[in-house]
Amino acid sequence: MSAGLHARLRLDRGSLALDAELEVAPGTVLALLGPNGAGKSSALQALAGLVPLDGGSIELAGRVLDRPADGTFVRTADREVGMVFQDYLLFPHLSALENVAFGLRARGVRAGQARRSARAWLERMGLDGSASLRPGALSGGQAQRVALARALAPGPRLLLLDEPLAALDAGTRMHVRSDLRSHLADYAGCTVLVTHDPLDAMVLADHLVVLEHGRTVQSGRPGDVARAPRTDYVARLVGLNHYRGRSRGGAVELDGGGELTTADPREGPVFLAFPPSAVSLHRTRPDGSARNVWPGRVAGLEQHADTVRVQLEAEPAVLADVTTAAVADLELTVGSSVWAAVKATEVRAYPGDPAP
Amino acid sequence: MPAGLALAFLVLPLLALLVRAPWTTLPERLTGPGVGTALRLSLVCAGSATVLCLLLGVPLAWVLARATFPGRRLVRALVTVPLVLPPVVGGVALLLLLGRRGLLGQHLDAWFGITLPFTTPAVVIAEAFVAMPFLVIAVEGALRGADRRYEDAAATLGASRWTVFRRVTLPLVAPGISAGAVLCFARALGEFGATITFAGSYPGVTRTMPVEVYLALESDPQSAVVLSLVLLAVSVLVLVSLRDRWLTGSAS
């Protein structure tokens, strides 16, 4: 018995078999991160009671909400859960104020009191001027905040956010993200956030659960997950070069071919990771101090703000971030032959899965 | 060419009605005693029938659109029977159920002293019987087309099923309900067969516009034309109101 959320979610729905464990303490935010079809949204729907579990259980603040084993199922309306939907689903026939007051009215608060409370929520969200507007007249960022106010107004113990920023354009998103962060910091209940955007997860969450194909592939604090990805999906999300291999005193034979040296003398199965900025490129074999030097062929070039990301076909394949000037000096084009170099101290090693 | 013929076939009779109308004596005929009474009775009865259809038809449409139960398809088929049934047969069927010797009517008469046939309520019942399917089908379609996730959203806000229905579902399908009600009203207004069979033709009590037209055609053909013009005008009004509804519906 504790105040937080304890859930073991099992769903079996044809194409999707979800099995994930979620623990959220009050006042903290858990982000479910994963590619489309990983089961993130289904997990949220199960928590909200919109989909019944096939196995496992959901317990919120000591109260069992769903446990198929003994037939317990609390209907959505009777759970203390608030939800922000991906496309917000603001009631189109009600004003922003009436939308926010809806949950209070539905839970028996008198009309006048509900309106006063809703107005206070809108003010908190900086939306006092938009109270009488219909959802159709709100901008994306405003609609998002009305949806958040609507979900929070009845005082839920659990807040569910389904891709809360996905419907916004890039400029608005940054602004709304930091707003959302401060509102979540004020919220005393548990929050579960679903997203496929790693930045949302890093900025908003205290704890990260990465789902792939309905399974948890990695979980931990966002910073730890970002530093030590355990699947290619996570590595791509956080933009790291990522390899799996077997180490003998720091010399790692990679599963995908090739060999890298790390300063970490760990033995056995390991993951290796280093940022693309740690890779330097050379026309000829460099004589410097770098322990890892190998030849390759440029397979792609992509401008990223003030650097160019070079995709190198080699053994192992690698991403390198170099300056635009370096690209010119090296006369890099697709098909050019170059040498890649990485210092052993830049290559992070951490325990891998035991060999199968 | 066949398309043109079809158009002519549909439009020419109405044109004839306009051409042969006694335009010069129109005002005095319209204000004559029979017309006003019949028109008022027609509007009251069709309005009451529409309200009755709304009260009973919307819940039925909801059940058909949302509930799953064995025999749902059969129920749906039964609802549409009055659409294809000759109205006069409907009138006979109503007599057999609600007439003084009808299955239910004999008890109504014996226990409560209520006799329905040949009264104004009988007109309303006959019209509602014929017009209800129009409303049910329109509302069912609207309910099926509505985004049910709004109902999910309302449930996460703690709304009971009844609150969800009243405050979310109904407003969302309001355009469909209005369209259904207008169709229903139009159908009730033009009802003839079931009305004359079940309710008869007492001036001021059960003699609605269509019945008046039919009777006038034998005694005073000019009058019949004038009455027909009035009904045509009402139909056009209905059509215009539906058009607006559809236009605003697609624009929002």
Side-chain angles (χ1 to χ4, degrees):
Chain A
M1 301 281 275
S2 88
L5 170 75
H6 308 273
R8 176 73 183 265
L9 306 175
R10 282 197 186 155
L11 287 174
D12 221 330
R13 288 199 292 173
S15 59
L16 174 77
L18 175 72
D19 187 351
E21 206 164 343
L22 308 179
E23 298 281 334
V24 189
T28 68
V29 179
L30 177 140
L32 276 176
L33 186 66
N36 286 333
K40 307 179 304 260
S41 289
S42 303
L44 272 202
Q45 289 186 321
L47 290 172
L50 299 172
V51 171
L53 287 183
D54 293 311
S57 68
I58 300 170
E59 193 187 311
L60 178 63
R63 179 184 178 210
V64 176
L65 298 181
D66 193 348
R67 188 160 59 202
D70 61 12
T72 308
F73 183 79
V74 177
R75 290 185 320 140
T76 300
D78 300 326
R79 299 183 179 197
E80 292 165 290
V81 168
M83 186 154 177
V84 174
F85 294 82
Q86 183 169 354
D87 42 1
Y88 313 136
L89 296 176
L90 295 175
F91 304 125
H93 57 287
L94 299 179
S95 70
L97 183 76
E98 290 163 329
N99 263 284
V100 177
F102 187 95
L104 294 163
R105 294 287 290 134
R107 291 195 152 95
V109 177
R110 284 173 178 278
Q113 174 61 37
R115 290 178 73 85
R116 273 193 298 280
S117 175
R119 197 170 288 283
W121 271 104
L122 286 178
E123 275 167 26
R124 237 175 112 175
M125 299 281 167
L127 287 167
D128 4 357
S130 313
S132 59
L133 294 180
R134 294 284 173 93
L138 297 172
S139 73
Q142 288 173 327
Q144 200 271 355
R145 281 178 284 163
V146 173
L148 183 64
R150 181 177 74 169
L152 287 174
R157 287 178 186 275
L158 173 63
L159 177 66
L160 305 171
L161 305 170
D162 189 2
E163 303 271 8
L165 305 169
L168 302 172
D169 58 78
T172 319
R173 187 182 301 186
M174 206 156 66
H175 190 68
V176 174
R177 188 188 287 127
S178 65
D179 270 4
L180 181 58
R181 184 185 153 85
S182 73
H183 290 302
L184 290 180
D186 292 343
Y187 174 57
C190 311
T191 302
V192 177
L193 160 83
V194 153
T195 180
H196 66 267
D197 182 339
L199 190 54
D200 290 351
M202 300 299 158
V203 171
L204 299 172
D206 302 299
H207 191 87
L208 200 59
V209 170
V210 184
L211 282 183
E212 281 180 63
H213 308 295
R215 299 295 152 121
T216 303
V217 293
Q218 192 167 358
S219 71
R221 295 197 332 193
D224 295 343
V225 172
R227 267 190 295 278
R230 300 189 75 82
T231 71
D232 289 341
Y233 166 74
V234 182
R236 253 200 320 280
L237 280 185
V238 300
L240 287 180
N241 287 300
H242 176 250
Y243 310 94
R244 190 189 297 258
R246 178 167 282 276
S247 170
R248 280 198 192 81
V252 183
E253 202 174 309
L254 304 178
D255 292 359
E259 200 181 300
L260 285 173
T261 304
T262 167
D264 187 333
R266 196 183 296 273
E267 295 289 328
V270 290
F271 286 116
L272 299 180
F274 53 87
S277 57
V279 183
S280 60
L281 296 180
H282 311 267
R283 293 246 30 161
T284 55
R285 189 182 171 99
D287 305 323
S289 61
R291 299 268 302 277
N292 296 298
V293 175
W294 71 106
R297 207 172 55 84
V298 175
L301 292 164
E302 211 178 305
Q303 184 79 44
H304 275 214
D306 56 346
T307 62
V308 175
R309 178 156 291 186
V310 183
Q311 201 184 328
L312 215 57
E313 249 173 34
E315 200 156 85
V318 68
L319 296 174
D321 282 352
V322 296
T323 60
T324 316
V327 172
D329 291 346
L330 295 167
E331 293 170 31
L332 289 184
T333 55
V334 173
S336 317
S337 295
V338 288
W339 287 81
V342 182
K343 291 179 181 162
T345 49
E346 296 272 15
V347 180
R348 262 175 60 80
Y350 46 98
D353 305 321
Chain B
M1 192 56 193
L5 269 179
L7 187 65
F9 175 68
L10 292 175
V11 172
L12 283 181
L14 300 181
L15 219 57
L17 190 63
L18 291 175
V19 168
R20 298 301 295 272
W23 293 106
T24 48
T25 56
L26 196 61
E28 60 213 69
R29 281 177 189 279
L30 276 179
T31 49
V35 178
T37 313
L39 184 61
R40 203 172 311 118
L41 182 69
S42 272
L43 292 176
V44 167
C45 287
S48 308
T50 305
V51 171
L52 184 66
C53 288
L54 280 170
L55 289 177
L56 301 178
V58 172
L60 177 58
W62 188 87
V63 168
L64 286 176
R66 290 296 156 82
T68 44
F69 56 93
R72 198 181 61 82
R73 293 165 68 96
L74 180 69
V75 172
R76 198 168 187 283
L78 286 176
V79 168
T80 51
V81 166
L83 273 184
V84 289
L85 189 75
V88 67
V89 177
V92 172
L94 284 170
L95 265 182
L96 293 179
L97 180 72
L98 299 170
R100 286 188 75 149
R101 300 193 194 295
L103 284 175
L104 234 110
Q106 54 183 334
H107 299 303
L108 284 179
D109 191 26
W111 297 344
F112 308 107
I114 297 174
T115 325
L116 281 173
F118 311 111
T119 61
T120 306
V123 178
V124 176
I125 291 173
E127 291 180 350
F129 177 81
V130 174
M132 179 116 60
F134 286 87
L135 181 98
V136 172
I137 286 174
V139 175
E140 189 200 345
L143 280 168
R144 284 187 187 283
D147 190 343
R148 295 197 59 179
R149 295 181 313 137
Y150 285 108
E151 297 173 11
D152 288 349
T156 65
L157 292 165
S160 66
R161 278 182 205 182
W162 170 239
T163 306
V164 173
F165 178 71
R166 200 168 45 85
R167 293 208 50 212
V168 176
T169 314
L170 271 189
L172 284 178
V173 298
I177 293 179
S178 319
V182 169
L183 277 176
C184 177
F185 179 80
R187 181 67 188 87
L189 194 68
E191 217 304 305
F192 174 77
T195 308
I196 202 165
T197 313
F198 184 53
S201 153
Y202 297 106
V205 181
T206 69
R207 188 175 292 175
T208 57
M209 288 288 282
V211 179
E212 185 76 44
V213 169
Y214 177 74
L215 295 174
L217 204 53
E218 297 191 340
S219 57
D220 182 3
Q222 294 285 57
S223 246
V225 175
V226 171
L227 289 166
S228 301
L229 269 183
V230 173
L231 282 179
L232 179 62
V234 174
S235 311
V236 169
L237 268 178
V238 165
L239 212 60
V240 167
S241 78
L242 269 184
R243 229 181 97 79
D244 283 352
R245 181 62 61 186
W246 285 332
L247 279 181
T248 53
S250 61
S252 67

